[in-house]
Amino acid sequence: MLYKDTLITGLLALAGSPVAATSGTFEYDADKPCPKVFWDADSDGFGDALIWVVNCAPPPGYVSDSTDCDDQDPDIGGALTYYSDRDQDGYGDINDQVVSCVWPDLYVDNFADCDDTDETIFIGAECDDGDPGTYDDQYQNDCQCRGSHIEMSARVFLEGPYTGGFMNDGLRVLGLLPMVEPYSALGYSFTDGGGEMLDPIVLAVTGPHAIVDWVILELRHDQDMMNIKYSRAALLRRDGQIVDTDGSPMVEVDVQKAEYYLVIRHRNHLPAMSLVPYQLGDIPVEVDFTVPGSTFGPASQKVLGQVTALWAGDVTGNNQIKYTGFASDRDPILMAIGGIIPTNTVTGYLQADVTLDGKVKYTGAGNDRDPILQNIGGVVPTQVRNAIMP
């Protein structure tokens, strides 16, 4: 409860101190004790611990702080907190501190030590977090040893679902996208990666940032393009941006700082590799396969107006598009719809769904067979198109 009253302050003062009793009208809370306030002779905001009053309405010249080290000098403020530095590495222990006007021996003015018995362990010190895929490992603010992951940005279009500047997200709309990357089950052997799981929140995104499907990122040695140093699965958006499993456009890759070629794979499109290696490290890079001439070898991607896209139709996943004969890519489409009635259709997350609309069709508009014939030349059905890879 608040009251208004008149109070004459009680004082504790040293002889000769410029302190006088004061009085006045003020508001105070009868349920709370009045605090001590301290005389601030030099008006620097820090008071003298030896000159104080108990007053609910601080008189002029009094402050709540009592740490002034010299109340006659406004340039000398309050006492500071110092932290024990037993191992003398320049970093203090937050659990052992003193407040003093004088810097004590074997104390420092920071509390960045993680182990005050070991001079090599403090916040910012180099360490090894045990993860070969990180760099610049050091003790973090929570005193845990962690390194930084290299991140990269990549873009690609898939010919099958591409139309009008974007790809369709029929698989997402129909709820067919698997929560776990599908490539392990298809027999792809990851290097370090694999088993990635998408965050369900990304499936709620619509528009240009909606998810189309899973893809594979391979990083290959800059001096040996056949040598796959790392691979992982990631997600592809309608606008061509490859994102991490949480939707971040910067994808983490567990490799050391170096130059790498990038290969992008999809389960029923031909893969392609970057024309040049890219330096991965502190500065994230963007590798854009949608730009003509960005990939290794002639006709390694299909030109679609002003952009390029991975060739559609590698249903068997053998790095070749084939229309007739043994291991053709057309036969799995017919088999998926039943193998007898060519006008049948089937819905699902299927290799034979070249257009990625969630439905396998053998005949009619938007079918999955025609892109195969078109991509081998459209005239001689026995021709094939191979992936242009080293």
Side-chain angles (χ1 to χ4, degrees):
M1 183 178 294
L2 294 177
Y3 294 90
K4 280 191 175 181
D5 205 347
T6 300
L7 175 71
I8 297 178
T9 63
L11 305 177
L12 174 62
L14 297 178
S17 297
V19 182
T22 60
S23 63
T25 301
F26 57 90
E27 261 187 5
Y28 67 95
D29 188 340
D31 297 325
K32 296 181 179 179
C34 294
K36 279 185 180 182
V37 288
F38 304 88
W39 177 246
D40 181 14
D42 56 9
S43 301
D44 61 359
F46 300 95
D48 187 333
L50 298 178
I51 307 174
W52 54 270
V53 299
V54 176
N55 199 329
C56 287
Y62 284 80
V63 295
S64 59
D65 186 285
S66 64
T67 64
D68 206 331
C69 294
D70 185 344
D71 204 29
Q72 303 305 311
D73 188 341
D75 293 327
I76 301 177
L80 300 177
T81 302
Y82 299 93
Y83 305 89
S84 173
D85 181 19
R86 291 183 294 275
D87 57 11
Q88 299 185 55
D89 59 2
Y91 301 91
D93 182 357
I94 193 173
N95 297 310
D96 187 354
Q97 55 186 270
V98 297
V99 178
S100 175
C101 290
V102 179
W103 197 314
D105 290 338
L106 300 182
Y107 279 77
V108 292
D109 61 351
N110 69 80
F111 50 88
D113 213 329
C114 299
D115 184 344
D116 205 27
T117 65
D118 188 331
E119 63 182 12
T120 67
I121 301 177
F122 52 85
I123 294 173
E126 294 182 1
C127 58
D128 183 0
D129 67 359
D131 184 349
T134 59
Y135 67 96
D136 291 346
D137 299 355
Q138 59 183 253
Y139 287 100
Q140 306 296 320
N141 289 336
D142 60 359
C143 286
Q144 298 298 309
C145 179
R146 287 193 300 276
S148 300
H149 285 271
I150 289 176
E151 296 180 324
M152 69 179 303
S153 171
R155 297 188 71 234
V156 71
F157 283 132
L158 304 177
E159 179 204 356
Y162 183 85
T163 179
F166 295 95
M167 294 172 284
N168 77 66
D169 61 333
L171 296 173
R172 183 199 67 84
V173 171
L174 295 176
L176 299 175
L177 283 172
M179 302 299 289
V180 181
E181 58 82 11
Y183 295 99
S184 294
L186 293 173
Y188 180 84
S189 296
F190 284 93
T191 303
D192 294 328
E196 290 83 3
M197 300 180 63
L198 62 80
D199 186 334
I201 196 172
V202 304
L203 298 180
V205 178
T206 60
H209 290 182
I211 300 301
V212 174
D213 201 1
W214 289 89
V215 294
I216 293 175
L217 302 181
E218 286 180 359
L219 294 177
R220 300 194 176 196
H221 197 287
D222 65 327
Q223 300 299 317
D224 180 4
M225 292 181 287
M226 300 291 290
N227 184 354
I228 302 173
K229 301 295 291 184
Y230 175 78
S231 59
R232 63 156 294 175
L235 299 167
L236 177 64
R237 296 191 319 206
R238 290 187 62 214
D239 62 357
Q241 183 70 48
I242 295 175
V243 300
D244 217 320
T245 53
D246 62 355
S248 169
M250 300 306 300
V251 180
E252 284 190 359
V253 289
D254 290 340
V255 294
Q256 296 295 308
K257 295 179 183 180
E259 289 192 345
Y260 301 91
Y261 287 94
L262 173 64
V263 172
I264 300 178
R265 293 184 177 275
H266 181 262
R267 57 197 175 91
N268 58 25
H269 286 64
L270 292 182
M273 187 179 78
S274 63
L275 178 63
V276 297
Y278 289 83
Q279 175 67 47
L280 300 185
D282 298 328
I283 302 175
V285 300
E286 178 175 317
V287 184
D288 193 347
F289 278 26
T290 70
V291 177
S294 60
T295 51
F296 176 86
S300 54
Q301 291 193 92
K302 187 169 185 175
V303 178
L304 302 174
Q306 300 300 310
V307 301
T308 50
L310 300 186
W311 293 94
D314 183 13
V315 176
T316 60
N318 63 353
N319 294 343
Q320 182 184 77
I321 298 175
K322 188 177 184 180
Y323 189 73
T324 63
F326 176 75
S328 76
D329 295 293
R330 178 189 62 170
D331 289 350
I333 298 173
L334 184 60
M335 293 172 60
I337 64 168
I340 298 176
I341 303 174
T343 55
N344 279 348
T345 62
V346 62
T347 299
Y349 187 78
L350 303 168
Q351 289 289 99
D353 179 16
V354 174
T355 60
L356 304 187
D357 60 358
K359 182 181 293 185
V360 177
K361 296 177 64 176
Y362 189 75
T363 62
N367 71 69
D368 298 290
R369 178 188 59 165
D370 286 351
I372 298 173
L373 182 60
Q374 294 167 4
N375 284 344
I376 64 166
V379 178
V380 182
T382 56
Q383 287 184 336
V384 298
R385 178 175 293 280
N386 295 308
I388 307 300
M389 297 281 289

